[in-house]
Amino acid sequence: QVQLVESGGGLVQPGGSLRLSCAASGSISSIYVMGWYRQTPGKQRELVATITSGGSANYGDSVRGRFTISRDNAKKTMYLQMNSLKPEDTAVYYCNRALGPVWSWGQGTQVTVSS
């Protein structure tokens, strides 16, 4: 099974930016839809952005216009560029398949938006 490692999180002030990376241990080129998820304590994991193998992206209402998802199949890596961050974006962010059975979850990367 493919292992996923998320990175790039941190503490940022409101209005700031972060770029998250998701490195896969195996090929993702054949995976039709990949996605970024986020989770806060006591809440279910939320799918915030998806991207197809062809590069078509979709976003949740809460992040549309601020976040940009991309993938580099050759590097087996997916990215999430997050701009104009808000305190409500604070969460642990995960990557995984977004269509069909998910792989084992990685450790995630913590994003904290606070002044």
Side-chain angles (χ1 to χ4, degrees):
Q1 190 175 59
V2 173
Q3 304 299 315
L4 301 165
V5 178
E6 301 91 350
S7 62
L11 173 64
V12 63
Q13 292 187 341
S17 298
L18 284 173
R19 189 192 194 206
L20 306 184
S21 297
C22 167
S25 63
S27 174
I28 62 171
S29 59
S30 64
I31 304 304
Y32 181 48
V33 187
M34 294 286 295
W36 281 98
Y37 301 74
R38 67 186 181 188
Q39 188 171 27
T40 55
K43 294 187 177 181
Q44 287 193 335
R45 196 167 280 143
E46 171 193 15
L47 180 60
V48 297
T50 63
I51 186 167
T52 68
S53 53
S56 294
N58 277 290
Y59 302 93
D61 289 343
S62 61
V63 307
R64 187 176 294 113
R66 300 187 297 120
F67 289 11
T68 302
I69 188 172
S70 61
R71 63 193 281 179
D72 187 331
N73 291 332
K75 293 183 177 180
K76 299 181 290 184
T77 302
M78 185 171 64
Y79 305 96
L80 187 67
Q81 178 66 44
M82 306 187 297
N83 298 328
S84 302
L85 282 161
K86 304 176 181 181
E88 50 264 44
D89 295 318
T90 295
V92 179
Y93 285 72
Y94 303 86
C95 60
N96 215 311
R97 299 176 63 167
L99 184 65
V102 296
W103 292 316
S104 295
W105 293 97
Q107 83 287 350
T109 186
Q110 174 71 48
V111 172
T112 302
V113 185
S114 176
S115 55

